[in-house]
Amino acid sequence: MLRRNFIRMLGSTVLVWPALATGQTRKKVWRVAYLYPGSLANPADHAVFDVFRAEMKRLGYVEGQTLIIDDRSAEGKLERLPAFLTELIGLNPDVIVAVTTPAIAAAQRATSTIPIIMAPATDPIGSGFIKSFSHPGANITGMANMVGDSVGKAVELLHTIVPSAKRIAVLTSNNPTHPEQYQLAKTAANTLGLSAVQVVAPTLEDLEAAFERMKQESCDAVFVLGDVTRPTISGLAAKSKLPAVYQSSPFLALGALASYHPKIEAIYVKVAQYVDRIIKGANPADYPVEQPVVFELGVNLKTAAALGITIPDSVLARADRIIE
């Protein structure tokens, strides 16, 4: 009798155990909204997106199983951001990754409850995204990019590579941080005995007219402020035979003469780590904002040769990336 009861009990245990095991191994599927004002169709920008995805994978998330990333690209049309956010918020994301200041500002207006990761912001305190770096204070945290601190060095780099250039066009867009960035560039140029001309191209459609104005203004070179990638710029610079230095790394492969900026890959590894920490319960109000510690100087020798420019040895010795 005892033996019969024992076998019956053992059989019940075998039947129940798989159900218990299934319940224990079932994992939540986390949802991340990824909003970019530019276009992920640009290979260089998609490569940055892939850095974020790769770090999420390294942290243990599997897309389609424990992670869904809903991405939207505004193709440079900032007016599309609010509609995209309405759509993304309707998908009930656990975290929003907002790429660059325009997307962060739009996300801030759209929600005060869903955690927002800045990826990155140019001036997060001045833009009203956070109260301080150590205690952000609301639902926004993430990375600052310190491009304001690098403007002077980028202008100096342009002067070192093209010392004959005395009149510099500073290309800006509808990015709300650009007026202040232009003033920094102008101050840096004046310090070097150069003059700076602000040339505004709010949208992609305005770029050809912007380069025509550079020609009318007798500009010798162009400094492109950090922004979403607009591939047309590098082609127009080449057509105009204007040496161009950029604050954005994707342009180097697109034909930039040189670039100087925070190392973008390191920023997006950090962005993924922020997402992971928020998912695991960190409060964005108390999770400190970080700034990049690694900056990257890149030069394109093919573009230099096409322009008849010899990159100084001092620049080549400091370069982190060289395209030959």
Side-chain angles (χ1 to χ4, degrees):
M1 182 71 178
L2 289 175
R3 181 174 179 273
R4 207 165 41 243
N5 289 340
F6 174 75
I7 291 172
R8 187 180 297 116
M9 180 183 71
L10 184 63
S12 299
T13 302
V14 172
L15 290 172
V16 171
W17 174 248
L20 291 174
T22 302
Q24 288 175 348
T25 57
R26 186 180 295 122
K27 296 180 180 179
K28 174 179 171 62
V29 179
W30 301 97
R31 199 157 203 136
V32 175
Y34 188 99
L35 181 63
Y36 179 45
S39 174
L40 290 178
N42 296 327
D45 287 330
H46 205 284
V48 173
F49 179 43
D50 286 340
V51 168
F52 168 76
R53 295 170 64 206
E55 180 63 8
M56 292 300 293
K57 181 178 180 180
R58 190 193 70 80
L59 291 167
Y61 300 89
V62 180
E63 287 189 59
Q65 295 182 28
T66 60
L67 176 67
I68 294 175
I69 302 176
D70 299 303
D71 63 90
R72 299 291 186 276
S73 299
E75 311 291 337
K77 298 177 181 178
L78 301 188
E79 66 274 12
R80 300 175 68 183
L81 294 175
F84 278 143
L85 278 161
T86 298
E87 183 181 339
L88 288 168
I89 290 172
L91 297 172
N92 298 315
D94 297 285
V95 184
I96 296 173
V97 173
V99 182
T100 75
T101 295
I104 300 165
Q108 183 186 41
R109 290 190 292 269
T111 178
S112 60
T113 55
I114 301 172
I116 298 168
I117 306 301
M118 302 183 293
T122 295
D123 180 13
I125 295 177
S127 298
F129 300 148
I130 62 173
K131 293 180 179 179
S132 71
F133 282 87
S134 57
H135 295 287
N139 64 319
I140 303 177
T141 187
M143 294 295 297
N145 60 21
M146 291 179 65
V147 294
D149 295 342
S150 65
V151 166
K153 291 184 178 180
V155 173
E156 184 179 344
L157 173 66
L158 176 56
H159 180 56
T160 301
I161 294 175
V162 196
S164 61
K166 302 302 180 185
R167 192 167 175 80
I168 309 298
V170 180
L171 184 62
T172 66
S173 71
N174 51 7
N175 189 313
T177 69
H178 279 182
E180 182 179 353
Q181 301 301 306
Y182 165 68
Q183 291 301 324
L184 293 173
K186 180 180 179 182
T187 298
N190 293 164
T191 300
L192 295 168
L194 313 175
S195 59
V197 179
Q198 183 178 15
V199 179
V200 184
T203 69
L204 288 170
E205 290 74 21
D206 300 312
L207 285 170
E208 285 198 27
F211 274 85
E212 184 61 32
R213 188 188 164 206
M214 293 178 200
K215 181 179 178 180
Q216 295 169 356
E217 291 280 355
S218 300
C219 293
D220 306 306
V222 55
F223 175 46
V224 182
L225 292 178
D227 203 1
V228 299
T229 306
R230 299 193 283 178
T232 311
I233 295 174
S234 54
L236 288 169
K239 182 180 178 181
S240 304
K241 299 189 182 303
L242 279 174
V245 170
Y246 299 73
Q247 272 195 307
S248 180
S249 64
F251 280 103
L252 196 64
L254 295 173
L257 174 62
S259 61
Y260 183 74
H261 45 78
K263 187 173 177 61
I264 194 71
E265 293 83 1
I267 288 177
Y268 280 82
V269 166
K270 283 286 188 181
V271 167
Q273 293 170 2
Y274 269 94
V275 171
D276 177 55
R277 290 290 299 275
I278 294 299
I279 282 174
K280 290 177 178 175
N283 183 353
D286 301 318
Y287 192 4
V289 171
E290 292 192 39
Q291 301 179 75
V293 295
V294 180
F295 285 74
E296 184 177 79
L297 190 161
V299 295
N300 191 319
L301 295 182
K302 290 174 62 177
T303 300
L307 292 169
I309 293 172
T310 300
I311 304 293
D313 290 339
S314 60
V315 173
L316 292 175
R318 293 187 291 124
D320 303 286
R321 292 179 61 196
I322 298 176
I323 293 181
E324 301 189 53

